[in-house]
Amino acid sequence: MMSLKWMSALNTIGGVLTALVLLIGLIMALIAYFKRGKSKVALLGALGFLLMFLLSCCSLTWGVADRPILRELPARAQQTYFTIKQIVIFLLALLNVVGLVLLVVAVWTSGKKD
C-alpha cells in the first residue's frame, strides 16, 4: 500500500510541474502577443497554452480533492465514481489535444514566409 501513496505523491508533483510549465508558456505567449504587435501566431499560442493550463488545473484539483471524497463513499459507489472520473478525464484529454493543435498551428504559421 505504501507504493500507491508514493505513486499518488509523484502524480501530484507531476501535475503541479505541468501546470507551472503551462503557466510559464502562457505568460511567454501573452508577452509575445503584446510586444510583437498582436500577431495571430502569438494569439493562437496563448489560446493553446490557456486551454491546456486550465485543463491541467482542473485535473490537478480533481486529483487532490479526490481523496476526501473517496474516504466517505461506500465501495460500490467508488466503482461508479472511478468510471465517471475516467470518462471525464478522457474528455479533458481530448480538449487538451485541441490546445496542442492550436500550438502546432501557431508554430506552423510562424514558419511560413509571407
Side-chain angles (χ1 to χ4, degrees), residues 64-85:
V64 171
D66 223 12
R67 294 174 193 125
I69 293 171
L70 288 175
R71 283 188 213 124
E72 300 297 322
L73 288 177
R76 184 94 168 142
Q78 284 182 4
Q79 292 172 345
T80 306
Y81 176 78
F82 279 123
T83 302
I84 292 171
K85 180 181 175 183

Side-chain angles (χ1 to χ4, degrees), residues 1-113:
M1 196 65 163
M2 186 63 159
S3 65
L4 292 178
K5 289 184 181 186
W6 276 104
M7 289 172 48
S8 177
L10 288 176
N11 190 23
T12 302
I13 291 169
V16 169
L17 291 176
T18 301
L20 286 175
V21 167
L22 291 173
L23 180 62
I24 290 169
L26 174 63
I27 291 170
M28 290 176 64
L30 287 175
I31 289 171
Y33 175 70
F34 288 114
K35 278 197 170 188
R36 303 276 181 184
K38 298 186 179 181
S39 69
K40 291 187 288 185
V41 173
L43 180 62
L44 281 174
L47 288 175
F49 274 117
L50 178 66
L51 182 62
M52 289 176 15
F53 174 70
L54 291 176
L55 294 174
S56 175
C57 287
C58 289
S59 175
L60 181 64
T61 304
W62 194 351
V64 171
D66 223 12
R67 294 174 193 125
I69 293 171
L70 288 175
R71 283 188 213 124
E72 300 297 322
L73 288 177
R76 184 94 168 142
Q78 284 182 4
Q79 292 172 345
T80 306
Y81 176 78
F82 279 123
T83 302
I84 292 171
K85 180 181 175 183
Q86 292 304 317
I87 291 170
V88 171
I89 286 176
F90 173 74
L91 294 174
L92 288 176
L94 288 179
L95 285 176
N96 205 6
V97 169
V98 172
L100 284 172
V101 167
L102 285 173
L103 288 175
V104 167
V105 168
V107 170
W108 183 278
T109 58
S110 71
K112 289 185 177 180
K113 294 187 181 191

